Amino acid sequence: FRQHPDAFYQLAREMWPGQYKPTPAHYFLRLLHDKGILLRVFTQNIDSLEGQAGLPREKVVQTHGHFDSATCLGTGKPVPIQVVKEAVLAGKWKELRDEYGGLVKPDIVFFGENLPERYGRLRQQDLPKADLLIVMGTSLKVMPFASTMNDVTALVPRLLIN
């Protein structure tokens, strides 16, 4: 990203949240929450569609981050996400960099970066309590999600939906 930021900003312009709507799977998770039987959703997606479907923020762990906030990499300070969105969509990331003192990116996790602390903490806290594990929309090839199936107790049913 630091060497070739233009490629990221081009991709971000194409995939910025708000262009897509939650799917029936997102609303299914909301239904589980509404019925009081959802412990947590761990997602690899960065699109924030769970929130758009009505899931409370505390119920969702966005393992690879999200487009809901942004940070200047040069200063470590938060940058208003609406400002970032407007700059990215207008192709003005250089102006954003100059204004804030460094490259600015949404708080998504790139390959090689550390996952959020909240992910590790809640994974250890929640999965041993689970009485059912539903895994949806993943190949189970990317770590750490590939090992999630082993983080519940042996008697917990696992449902894989792809």
Side-chain angles (χ1 to χ4, degrees):
F1 171 70
R2 292 177 195 261
Q3 287 79 30
H4 304 287
D6 198 47
F8 167 74
Y9 290 116
Q10 172 87 24
L11 179 63
R13 190 169 34 251
E14 295 170 11
M15 62 181 287
W16 200 279
Q19 302 178 63
Y20 303 99
K21 303 268 187 248
T23 67
H26 295 102
Y27 290 110
F28 171 68
L29 297 172
R30 164 74 188 276
L31 177 66
L32 295 177
H33 167 71
D34 290 348
K35 292 187 170 289
I37 57 176
L38 179 71
L39 179 58
R40 192 93 54 209
V41 172
F42 292 85
T43 181
Q44 299 177 89
N45 298 329
I46 60 174
D47 54 22
S48 300
L49 290 175
E50 297 83 9
Q52 288 182 41
L55 277 173
R57 178 163 276 188
E58 69 271 6
K59 287 291 186 177
V60 181
V61 177
Q62 294 169 301
T63 305
H64 292 149
H66 49 76
F67 281 85
D68 299 334
S69 60
T71 302
C72 174
L73 300 182
T75 65
K77 294 183 179 176
V79 177
I81 195 62
Q82 190 60 35
V83 170
V84 177
K85 179 180 181 179
E86 289 169 8
V88 168
L89 295 181
K92 296 185 176 192
W93 66 267
K94 291 178 184 174
E95 291 87 340
L96 188 68
R97 174 197 62 199
D98 295 345
E99 181 179 345
Y100 286 93
L103 289 171
V104 175
K105 78 173 182 74
D107 292 329
I108 59 175
V109 178
F110 289 142
F111 182 79
E113 293 180 336
N114 291 329
L115 297 178
E117 174 275 332
R118 184 171 185 261
Y119 165 74
R121 180 173 40 84
L122 290 177
R123 181 176 170 165
Q124 287 182 336
Q125 173 186 309
D126 291 348
L127 292 178
K129 296 180 197 173
D131 57 9
L132 172 65
L133 179 66
I134 302 173
V135 179
M136 296 189 291
T138 180
S139 64
L140 289 175
K141 296 194 184 290
V142 177
M143 290 303 234
F145 272 80
S147 64
T148 302
M149 301 290 263
N150 302 320
D151 287 345
V152 294
T153 63
L155 298 178
V156 170
R158 295 147 177 91
L159 173 63
L160 176 61
I161 303 171
N162 273 329

